[in-house]
Amino acid sequence: MAEMTYRTAIAAGIAQEMERDPTVYLIGEDVGEPGGVFKATEGLYERFGPDRVRDMPISEEAIIGLAMGAAMTGLRPIAEIMFSDFVATCWDMIANQVAKTRYMTDGQIGLPMVIRTANGGGLRFGAQHSQAVENWAMAIPGLKVVAPSNPIDVIGLTAAAVRDPDPVVFLDSKPLYSLKADIPDGEVVDELGVAKVRREGTDLTIVALASTVPKAVEAADILDREYGISAEVIDPRSLIPLDMTTILESVRRTSRMFTVEENPRVLGWGAEIASIVAEEAFFELEDPIVRITTPHIPLPQADVLEDAALPSVDRVVETVRKTLG
Amino acid sequence: MAEMTYRTAIAAGIAQEMERDPTVYLIGEDVGEPGGVFKATEGLYERFGPDRVRDMPISEEAIIGLAMGAAMTGLRPIAEIMFSDFVATCWDMIANQVAKTRYMTDGQIGLPMVIRTANGGGLRFGAQHSQAVENWAMAIPGLKVVAPSNPIDVIGLTAAAVRDPDPVVFLDSKPLYSLKADIPDGEVVDELGVAKVRREGTDLTIVALASTVPKAVEAADILDREYGISAEVIDPRSLIPLDMTTILESVRRTSRMFTVEENPRVLGWGAEIASIVAEEAFFELEDPIVRITTPHIPLPQADVLEDAALPSVDRVVETVRKTLG
Amino acid sequence: MARTETATSEATGRSGLDESTRLALFRSIVEMRYFEERAHRLFLDNLVKGTSHLSLGQEAIAAGFGLAMRPDDYTFATYRGHAHTLARGVPMGPVLGELLGRKTGLLHGKGGSMHLTSVEHNMMGSYAIVGAHMPVAAGAAWSAQVRGTEQVAVCFVGDGTTNIGNFHESLNLAAVWKLPVVYVCENNLYMEYTPISKVTSVPNPAADRASAYGLESLIVDGNDPEAVYEMALERLARARAGEGPSLIEAKTYRKGGHSRADPAKYRPEEEVKEWLARDPVDNYRKRLLESGIDEATLVEIEKESLAKVDEADAEARAGPLPDVSSMETNVWSDGGSAWRR
Amino acid sequence: MARTETATSEATGRSGLDESTRLALFRSIVEMRYFEERAHRLFLDNLVKGTSHLSLGQEAIAAGFGLAMRPDDYTFATYRGHAHTLARGVPMGPVLGELLGRKTGLLHGKGGSMHLTSVEHNMMGSYAIVGAHMPVAAGAAWSAQVRGTEQVAVCFVGDGTTNIGNFHESLNLAAVWKLPVVYVCENNLYMEYTPISKVTSVPNPAADRASAYGLESLIVDGNDPEAVYEMALERLARARAGEGPSLIEAKTYRKGGHSRADPAKYRPEEEVKEWLARDPVDNYRKRLLESGIDEATLVEIEKESLAKVDEADAEARAGPLPDVSSMETNVWSDGGSAWRR
Ligand SMILES: Cc1ncc(C[n+]2csc(CCOP(=O)(O)OP(=O)(O)O)c2C)c(N)n1
Ligand SMILES: Cc1ncc(C[n+]2csc(CCOP(=O)(O)OP(=O)(O)O)c2C)c(N)n1
Ligand SMILES: [Mg+2]
Ligand SMILES: [Mg+2]
């Protein structure tokens, strides 16, 4: 048992896998000697050396391409893109090359690689350094997408991602970097595609991801305490593969679903889940499906504006109450 | 009245706007002297000259950046990205720069520019030259997204896009290039954000876009003729702005909605429309909302495989019948 | 082959500039210096939200170009853009206000420190994704070329920017079309925390690549305001005359860290000592005194500059917070954020 | 400064290669020539679905490298990859089968002409988005370097590829890390329909940029199989010895259009005449005869090559169509396409 922050769990998860498997390499801008601009890879360079932990030039396409070429020839690279907004600068490498290669070669080439990146807002970094882009990756066939909501999952899902034979986009959540948790001793290994029920409930189901999970749980507690409304909170943890079994089972039981999403509204990850529920659990639903998201805007920089844009505990509470009338 | 193909309508639409407004410029790879690799810009170089119709190097980021810089300083550029798959190679320029600039500068900078590109499959070009990426653009706040389904709309919506003060991603549909229609004489100008009812019906609403519109209409005819099922077919024509008024009015009347989408299943454009309907027309729905899409796979190249992957008239007919049971 | 021209005004002997120009340069770097020091202080007082990247130590580049540019020339800067914004005559109050996230900020709190823009001053924006503004500057230059206005676009980038694709695509296109654009690489030896030499295949990341675009290899002492000013005048004139783009590498150094919180521990003491001894403000002050300008004049400029910063500081602090409703304005040209009907 | 080395085996006087090597080169280009001509015929017969890009006229480059490479070296090609695939010993039948979209195709119809891949032959793929495979090749080279296998990655690109960002990012990184990768630019003077000279800031789009990465400027006659072979041997050896990457510009010309349907009307007659007179197959045949190899030997090789193509043709035509169910296989490592539970 050791207490760790989300931030330190990132390095711990990578270290666990690099220790276990000598073919795991870490590349990225400032990830080595500097220990990462968020200090999320601190200690790895000292521990695993300059051969396995490499500082890259500002060449995002080369970073992903390098990992792809290494992954098809015997390594299991972890490539870091500093801010998730920057996946746009190498989107062709991710969405057209990495994602499609196994299919186009009908299985000849597999790409066991992880693209890890700092995702999400709330740090006053403005529109180009704060986006939640999990929905971009979710829309691309051939990519697995992971977005952990706590330090233990960071380690366990890092292990699952590194060990997965398919390319995984691993989005850690900037706003959660100081979140603390006790980490069990020994190896922590988890599984992709398994949702977790963060809080049990009977009146409605809230699906939340990464930064919105703590908010949804807090909102559920308030709904319970102050309004006697019992909300179940589900954290899918990975968007691809997506554990619809757990979500559908819950919604069929509660007959109501809400999503709480950090990504901008249009075609956020909740739109896929809502559409599936509207098709497959339609006759069990008692109320409209409601998505609580960031408005469909770029993120403003000023603190008062950014706070108003991101989904808040209050907004979740109010929206649920209004919907249940 | 002159008959035109979808292909020739592209050049006609651009010509109409270049004729009208001397600040309209066309840039792209092989768009000038060669007349475009799809012959979709044929004649423009001869008519407007090398100054206003320019062949670019294979530098997609520079193409979009150039248009952006020109748009903020007095020109109204039309920038062509040859295949829509390649927007990934300049996605940062499109999604992070072009889309966010007006907002980040709080209105100081406007970008009257059009990004036009050949979208969609069915031509046996394989996974990197056949994608329907309208959902990528739809998910980005700050981009308007147009996808015409016939030659008249190509001209009218090109005019609307070029005259719009905001950046517009204009996706013309490769598989429709040989589609013919009679074009009225004189200027053709249309409007963004106005859906068209392509076929009236009472039992269900089918929302289709670009290449799936003709398929949906044909399916609706078959459903009517062979099964006495009356389907209304709606073509939103632009995804942003999105004419939900027309769609919701129709669904409330028919109480059933289907989408027919060329993009891969997960977070296709239909997911947003389905989610809105599931929230706002929930109590008027009698049956589950069903999305008919390409499976969530990269597109295979062989004709038999590609044909099986793309939504077909038969698949629409069968799915509707099964759902209405 | 392209020649390498290294310019420092010491090298070129005593300055040929008239006194008013030299005092204007001095005033400019002093104002930038005081402004950035104040910005840093406000950050330490926790009034600057989010990140910010200061030009402390690099002021001579912004000042030299600012003075050499025509009012209608375009500036494109990076997130490290405070000095370049001031260099175009943008008032300090709104700039500081933007750093503080106020309604009275240059962008009303929408953009923040990394996106300073003032179209009215032809400051066409600060861009936070490395290299992205390089083709945008080319586009502004192209538009000036076809409009026949003889405007020049000046685009400032860092040394780390020389390794990203946009650098290559933009310079090739600018050269082929002979665009009136001047790219200025401020080589401060570091990306964020990584030395540029560790990740770059040539010693001079910009200058050694000019020939790949058929351009001259140009290096200037980025801590010497006069050398920068003279190089700027020459290159702007060439661009205006239709002789095409330039790529200039200005050697300089950050006084502090990459961004607000960075203590810059990764830089060797020796290197830091050596460069701090070349501080552009201190040295230029010394040179002006040596050249016979009397100290009172400089002190007066310093006083006025400090007063200007104090005033801006007070103005910024007094600015109200943005109305929350403004969060949903100016996504679209209609002023709003509605995406459906 | 980097020197420019132009290699043609004429230039270097009579060939130092032994007869078996020279006949192997001849056999290789003849097989490629016949194969591509057949591919074109099958397209005209409407049996090749979709697009395809032929190496007619450019065979000497693929042949020279194919013969010089070690079996465990990696090949990365563009959509114009038929010849490079054959050069690694991939059997013709499955390659033609893939063009015909058959179950017996190299990729079972999943990829098509633009994505030919045979990992078993270390042909690591054909990539249809310009420049995208350049950093991928660097990655394979990096992996070879850290695994200590002395493998080299060879990456073929076109002249048009020299203006995209990936070109710059990949060469810089390869040079900094001294990666065992050889980049070969097949300069056939055109992008699709646009002359490279119209959009490029230097006369030799690859060679004139080598110095930007601290590399030698290398040009080879891409229509001379022996010159290519010798350049390949030298550069592969350097890479294997840990001396880092190379960038080679091979001058060549397309016999026909960019892709299947293109009549290539945009090329000046004079230019076409001049280059067709330099056809690699015809000329090499002449040279071999002049050097005393008797015609019967060559005719025999031509017969065998034609027979090989006929056989592959028959095999490909006989191949069944893919099962529709295979559309949903191999998205994931579990063999399927399920993305939810
Ligand atoms: C495409 C991209 N990659 C990474 C970053 C993160 N980042 C911000 S500043 C910076 C260093 C830039 O170095 P340089 O170009 O030398 O400019 P300087 O900060 O030294 O002025 C990096 C890597 C970014 N903003 N954009
Ligand atoms: C990024 C990107 N832009 C555009 C295209 C469309 N395209 C395919 S081939 C080609 C020309 C490439 O020219 P070159 O690199 O000289 O190769 P060549 O075809 O002459 O062998 C273009 C523009 C593409 N495939 N990828
Ligand atoms: Mg720097
Ligand atoms: Mg070419």
Side-chain angles (χ1 to χ4, degrees):
Chain A
M1 272 309 200
E3 192 184 61
M4 275 192 204
T5 61
Y6 193 107
R7 181 194 311 272
T8 50
I10 293 168
I14 295 170
Q16 172 185 293
E17 294 309 295
M18 291 187 77
E19 196 59 64
R20 179 187 59 81
D21 180 349
T23 68
V24 176
Y25 284 70
L26 175 66
I27 62 174
E29 293 159 20
D30 300 309
V31 298
E33 269 178 289
V37 300
F38 295 109
K39 302 273 162 256
T41 56
E42 214 157 37
L44 296 175
Y45 179 87
E46 292 68 17
R47 181 159 165 198
F48 297 102
D51 184 48
R52 290 180 66 192
V53 181
R54 302 203 177 201
D55 290 316
M56 301 288 290
I58 306 175
S59 307
E60 276 74 12
E61 293 192 295
I63 289 171
I64 301 302
L66 196 84
M68 177 175 166
M72 65 173 72
T73 54
L75 305 189
R76 292 183 99 85
I78 302 172
E80 173 171 304
I81 298 298
M82 193 185 285
F83 285 71
S84 67
D85 311 70
F86 311 157
V87 298
T89 65
C90 47
W91 197 236
D92 177 66
M93 298 309 301
I94 296 173
N96 286 337
Q97 311 303 331
V98 169
K100 294 173 169 59
T101 294
R102 177 183 290 274
Y103 186 83
M104 292 192 302
T105 62
D106 203 28
Q108 277 192 58
I109 293 179
L111 297 173
M113 59 185 278
V114 176
I115 299 168
R116 62 170 316 287
T117 185
N119 192 53
L123 281 74
R124 322 326 183 183
F125 282 162
Q128 294 183 337
H129 283 67
S130 306
Q131 293 172 86
V133 301
E134 53 270 21
N135 58 328
W136 297 9
M138 187 186 189
I140 307 299
L143 297 178
K144 292 179 176 175
V145 185
V146 180
S149 64
N150 64 71
I152 302 172
D153 283 5
V154 166
I155 301 178
L157 294 175
T158 295
V162 170
R163 299 175 194 200
D164 197 283
D166 292 314
V168 178
V169 176
F170 191 98
L171 302 139
D172 53 59
S173 178
K174 277 199 236 76
L176 297 182
Y177 276 179
S178 333
L179 186 70
K180 288 198 177 69
D182 287 326
I183 309 294
D185 300 328
E187 200 181 55
V188 182
V189 185
D190 207 327
E191 201 183 339
L192 305 185
V194 179
K196 286 273 163 90
V197 177
R198 297 297 179 192
R199 186 187 189 289
E200 302 200 335
T202 55
D203 299 333
L204 61 112
T205 301
I206 299 176
V207 183
L209 185 79
S211 68
T212 66
V213 171
K215 292 175 178 177
V217 170
E218 189 182 337
D221 293 340
I222 294 170
L223 284 164
D224 199 345
R225 208 170 48 241
E226 298 181 15
Y227 307 98
I229 298 172
S230 165
E232 180 149 296
V233 177
I234 296 179
D235 174 2
R237 309 193 307 155
S238 66
L239 292 173
I240 306 285
L242 180 63
D243 181 358
M244 280 308 301
T245 311
T246 300
I247 295 170
L248 284 164
E249 181 282 322
S250 171
V251 174
R252 292 195 168 106
R253 200 161 19 78
T254 65
S255 78
R256 290 183 190 87
M257 186 177 81
F258 298 78
T259 67
V260 187
E261 311 170 45
E262 186 177 337
N263 52 212
R265 181 168 192 80
V266 175
L267 291 181
W269 56 263
E272 183 61 35
I273 294 175
S275 301
I276 293 171
V277 168
E279 177 171 357
E280 301 177 23
F282 178 76
F283 296 106
E284 288 98 332
L285 284 175
E286 272 186 28
D287 275 312
I289 300 168
V290 178
R291 294 172 297 151
I292 300 161
T293 73
T294 299
H296 202 57
I297 59 171
L299 270 188
Q301 189 272 337
D303 48 1
V304 287
L305 298 179
E306 188 177 31
D307 289 339
L310 297 168
S312 66
V313 172
D314 288 355
R315 188 134 62 93
V316 175
V317 171
E318 286 324 301
T319 309
V320 168
R321 287 188 52 221
K322 235 177 57 269
T323 310
L324 271 62
Chain B
M1 270 312 201
E3 193 186 59
M4 278 193 202
T5 60
Y6 194 106
R7 182 193 311 272
T8 49
I10 294 168
I14 296 170
Q16 170 184 294
E17 295 309 296
M18 292 187 76
E19 197 58 64
R20 180 188 57 85
D21 181 349
T23 67
V24 177
Y25 284 70
L26 175 66
I27 62 174
E29 293 159 20
D30 301 308
V31 297
E33 272 179 283
V37 300
F38 295 110
K39 303 273 163 257
T41 55
E42 215 156 37
L44 296 174
Y45 179 87
E46 293 68 18
R47 182 158 166 199
F48 298 101
D51 183 49
R52 289 181 67 194
V53 180
R54 302 206 177 197
D55 291 316
M56 301 287 290
I58 306 174
S59 306
E60 276 73 11
E61 291 193 296
I63 290 172
I64 301 303
L66 196 84
M68 177 175 167
M72 66 173 71
T73 55
L75 305 189
R76 292 183 99 85
I78 302 172
E80 173 170 304
I81 298 299
M82 194 185 284
F83 286 72
S84 66
D85 311 70
F86 311 157
V87 298
T89 65
C90 47
W91 198 235
D92 177 66
M93 298 309 301
I94 297 173
N96 286 337
Q97 311 304 331
V98 169
K100 295 173 170 56
T101 294
R102 177 182 290 274
Y103 187 82
M104 293 193 300
T105 62
D106 203 28
Q108 276 192 59
I109 293 180
L111 297 172
M113 59 185 277
V114 176
I115 298 168
R116 62 169 317 285
T117 185
N119 191 52
L123 282 74
R124 322 329 183 181
F125 281 163
Q128 295 183 336
H129 284 68
S130 306
Q131 293 173 85
V133 301
E134 54 269 21
N135 57 328
W136 297 8
M138 187 185 190
I140 308 298
L143 297 178
K144 291 178 176 175
V145 185
V146 179
S149 64
N150 64 71
I152 302 171
D153 282 5
V154 166
I155 301 177
L157 294 175
T158 295
V162 170
R163 299 175 194 200
D164 197 283
D166 291 314
V168 178
V169 176
F170 191 99
L171 302 140
D172 53 59
S173 178
K174 276 198 237 85
L176 297 182
Y177 277 178
S178 334
L179 186 69
K180 290 199 178 67
D182 288 326
I183 309 294
D185 298 329
E187 201 183 53
V188 181
V189 185
D190 207 327
E191 202 183 339
L192 306 185
V194 179
K196 285 275 163 88
V197 176
R198 298 298 179 190
R199 186 187 189 290
E200 301 201 332
T202 55
D203 298 333
L204 61 112
T205 300
I206 299 176
V207 183
L209 186 78
S211 68
T212 67
V213 171
K215 292 176 179 178
V217 170
E218 189 183 336
D221 293 340
I222 294 171
L223 284 164
D224 200 345
R225 207 169 50 242
E226 298 181 16
Y227 308 98
I229 298 172
S230 166
E232 181 149 297
V233 177
I234 296 180
D235 175 2
R237 309 195 306 154
S238 65
L239 292 173
I240 306 286
L242 180 64
D243 181 358
M244 280 308 300
T245 312
T246 300
I247 295 170
L248 283 165
E249 182 282 322
S250 172
V251 173
R252 291 195 169 105
R253 202 161 18 78
T254 65
S255 77
R256 292 184 188 85
M257 186 177 82
F258 296 78
T259 66
V260 188
E261 311 171 46
E262 185 177 338
N263 53 212
R265 182 169 193 79
V266 175
L267 292 181
W269 55 263
E272 182 62 35
I273 294 175
S275 301
I276 293 171
V277 169
E279 177 170 356
E280 301 177 23
F282 178 77
F283 295 108
E284 289 97 333
L285 285 173
E286 272 186 27
D287 274 313
I289 299 169
V290 178
R291 293 172 298 152
I292 301 160
T293 73
T294 298
H296 203 58
I297 59 172
L299 269 188
Q301 190 272 338
D303 48 0
V304 289
L305 298 179
E306 189 178 32
D307 289 339
L310 297 168
S312 66
V313 172
D314 289 356
R315 187 133 62 94
V316 175
V317 171
E318 286 323 303
T319 310
V320 169
R321 287 188 52 221
K322 237 179 54 264
T323 311
L324 270 63
Chain C
M1 242 327 286
R3 78 198 150 83
T4 297
E5 167 189 300
T6 304
T8 76
S9 43
E10 267 101 349
T12 57
R14 63 154 208 47
S15 160
L17 302 180
D18 61 37
E19 180 164 322
S20 69
T21 305
R22 306 174 75 196
L23 291 180
L25 285 169
F26 181 71
R27 180 182 297 275
S28 181
I29 55 175
V30 167
E31 285 186 359
M32 291 167 181
R33 172 62 54 92
Y34 290 172
F35 179 93
E36 293 289 57
E37 285 173 344
R38 183 64 52 91
H40 188 62
R41 165 107 54 83
L42 289 168
F43 155 62
L44 296 175
D45 298 350
N46 209 10
L47 279 162
V48 174
K49 301 301 179 358
T51 185
S52 63
H53 307 74
L54 306 176
S55 285
L56 289 171
Q58 307 183 199
E59 299 91 346
I61 300 164
F65 268 89
L67 201 66
M69 288 167 75
R70 219 167 70 173
D72 62 346
D73 289 338
Y74 299 119
T75 293
F76 292 85
T78 70
Y79 48 85
R80 194 180 304 284
H82 303 173
H84 295 295
T85 304
L86 299 179
R88 298 313 306 277
V90 179
M92 287 182 179
V95 176
L96 219 41
E98 189 63 22
L99 270 58
L100 269 52
R102 303 304 168 97
K103 182 178 188 172
T104 48
L106 197 59
L107 312 169
H108 316 125
K110 290 283 195 67
S113 161
M114 296 204 288
H115 297 292
L116 298 176
T117 304
S118 181
V119 171
E120 162 194 2
H121 299 88
N122 291 300
M123 168 38 170
M124 303 306 286
S126 307
Y127 297 77
I129 292 181
V130 163
H133 60 315
M134 294 187 74
V136 181
W142 173 49
S143 132
Q145 186 184 62
V146 298
R147 287 182 289 113
T149 58
E150 295 189 346
Q151 292 165 283
V152 179
V154 180
C155 179
F156 300 91
V157 305
D159 45 278
T161 312
T162 61
N163 291 324
I164 198 160
N166 255 325
F167 176 87
H168 184 63
E169 296 190 7
S170 305
L171 280 156
N172 178 65
L173 189 68
V176 173
W177 289 8
K178 282 180 153 295
L179 295 177
V181 56
V182 176
Y183 290 105
V184 183
C185 174
E186 304 187 38
N187 184 352
N188 60 12
L189 278 57
Y190 289 83
M191 294 161 46
E192 291 205 25
Y193 310 155
T194 302
I196 191 64
S197 56
K198 181 178 179 179
V199 296
T200 310
S201 48
V202 287
N204 303 298
D208 294 345
R209 283 156 170 178
S211 66
Y213 312 104
L215 302 177
E216 286 172 60
S217 177
L218 301 170
I219 295 176
V220 65
D221 177 352
N223 285 15
D224 177 342
E226 295 189 4
V228 172
Y229 175 72
E230 283 168 334
M231 169 82 70
L233 280 181
E234 183 208 340
R235 292 289 139 179
L236 288 165
R238 280 175 51 94
R240 240 182 276 292
E243 290 165 44
S246 297
L247 172 61
I248 301 167
E249 180 167 336
K251 305 287 193 182
T252 185
Y253 203 69
R254 282 192 245 118
K255 259 180 88 99
H258 166 74
S259 61
R260 36 183 285 168
D262 167 27
K265 290 256 171 48
Y266 44 84
R267 304 192 301 184
E269 259 178 45
E270 262 322 294
E271 178 186 282
V272 176
K273 271 236 313 292
E274 175 197 324
W275 275 96
L276 292 195
R278 298 173 50 183
D279 181 84
V281 179
D282 303 349
N283 286 320
Y284 197 48
R285 190 179 203 280
K286 233 190 286 99
R287 265 171 68 201
L288 291 180
L289 291 175
E290 284 159 12
S291 75
I293 291 176
D294 85 48
E295 180 145 29
T297 316
L298 304 186
V299 171
E300 183 56 25
I301 290 176
E302 288 161 341
K303 270 221 205 72
E304 287 165 10
S305 302
L306 191 59
K308 212 167 156 183
V309 171
D310 286 333
E311 198 181 304
D313 183 332
E315 178 190 331
R317 288 170 187 265
L321 295 178
D323 310 329
V324 166
S325 64
S326 70
M327 167 187 88
E328 300 199 87
T329 63
N330 285 322
V331 173
W332 307 115
S333 50
D334 65 7
S337 61
W339 51 271
R340 56 178 276 196
R341 294 189 181 162
Chain D
M1 242 330 285
R3 76 199 151 81
T4 296
E5 166 190 301
T6 303
T8 77
S9 42
E10 266 100 349
T12 58
R14 63 151 209 48
S15 159
L17 303 179
D18 60 38
E19 182 165 320
S20 69
T21 305
R22 305 174 74 197
L23 291 179
L25 284 169
F26 182 70
R27 182 182 294 276
S28 181
I29 57 176
V30 168
E31 286 187 359
M32 291 167 181
R33 173 61 54 92
Y34 290 173
F35 179 93
E36 293 290 56
E37 285 172 346
R38 184 63 53 92
H40 188 61
R41 165 107 53 83
L42 290 168
F43 156 62
L44 296 175
D45 297 351
N46 209 8
L47 279 161
V48 175
K49 302 301 181 351
T51 185
S52 63
H53 306 75
L54 307 177
S55 287
L56 289 171
Q58 308 183 199
E59 298 91 345
I61 299 163
F65 269 88
L67 201 65
M69 288 167 75
R70 219 168 70 172
D72 62 345
D73 289 338
Y74 298 119
T75 292
F76 291 85
T78 70
Y79 48 84
R80 194 180 303 285
H82 303 172
H84 295 296
T85 304
L86 299 179
R88 299 311 307 278
V90 179
M92 286 182 181
V95 176
L96 219 41
E98 189 63 22
L99 268 59
L100 269 54
R102 303 305 167 98
K103 182 179 189 171
T104 47
L106 197 59
L107 312 170
H108 317 123
K110 290 282 195 69
S113 162
M114 294 203 289
H115 297 292
L116 298 175
T117 304
S118 182
V119 170
E120 161 193 4
H121 299 88
N122 291 301
M123 168 41 172
M124 304 306 286
S126 307
Y127 297 77
I129 293 183
V130 164
H133 60 314
M134 294 187 74
V136 182
W142 173 49
S143 134
Q145 185 183 60
V146 298
R147 288 182 288 110
T149 59
E150 294 187 348
Q151 292 164 285
V152 179
V154 180
C155 180
F156 301 92
V157 305
D159 46 279
T161 312
T162 61
N163 292 326
I164 198 160
N166 255 324
F167 176 87
H168 184 63
E169 296 190 7
S170 304
L171 280 156
N172 178 63
L173 189 68
V176 173
W177 289 8
K178 285 180 149 293
L179 295 177
V181 57
V182 176
Y183 289 104
V184 183
C185 175
E186 303 187 37
N187 183 352
N188 60 11
L189 277 57
Y190 289 84
M191 294 161 46
E192 291 205 22
Y193 310 154
T194 302
I196 191 65
S197 56
K198 182 178 179 180
V199 296
T200 309
S201 48
V202 286
N204 303 297
D208 294 344
R209 283 153 171 180
S211 66
Y213 313 104
L215 302 176
E216 287 173 59
S217 176
L218 302 170
I219 294 176
V220 66
D221 178 352
N223 284 14
D224 179 343
E226 296 189 3
V228 172
Y229 175 72
E230 284 169 333
M231 170 82 69
L233 280 180
E234 183 208 341
R235 292 289 140 177
L236 288 164
R238 283 174 48 93
R240 240 181 276 291
E243 289 165 44
S246 297
L247 172 62
I248 300 167
E249 181 167 335
K251 304 286 193 184
T252 186
Y253 202 71
R254 281 193 245 118
K255 259 179 90 98
H258 166 74
S259 61
R260 35 182 288 168
D262 168 26
K265 291 258 168 49
Y266 44 84
R267 304 191 301 184
E269 260 178 44
E270 262 323 293
E271 179 188 279
V272 176
K273 271 237 316 292
E274 177 197 323
W275 275 97
L276 290 193
R278 299 174 49 183
D279 181 84
V281 179
D282 304 349
N283 285 318
Y284 196 48
R285 190 179 201 280
K286 232 191 285 103
R287 266 171 69 202
L288 291 180
L289 291 175
E290 283 159 14
S291 76
I293 291 176
D294 84 51
E295 182 146 26
T297 318
L298 304 186
V299 170
E300 183 56 26
I301 289 175
E302 287 160 342
K303 272 222 206 69
E304 288 165 7
S305 303
L306 191 60
K308 213 167 155 183
V309 172
D310 286 334
E311 198 180 306
D313 183 332
E315 178 189 331
R317 288 169 187 266
L321 295 177
D323 310 329
V324 167
S325 63
S326 70
M327 167 187 87
E328 299 198 271
T329 62
N330 286 322
V331 173
W332 307 114
S333 51
D334 65 8
S337 61
W339 51 271
R340 55 177 277 197
R341 296 192 177 158

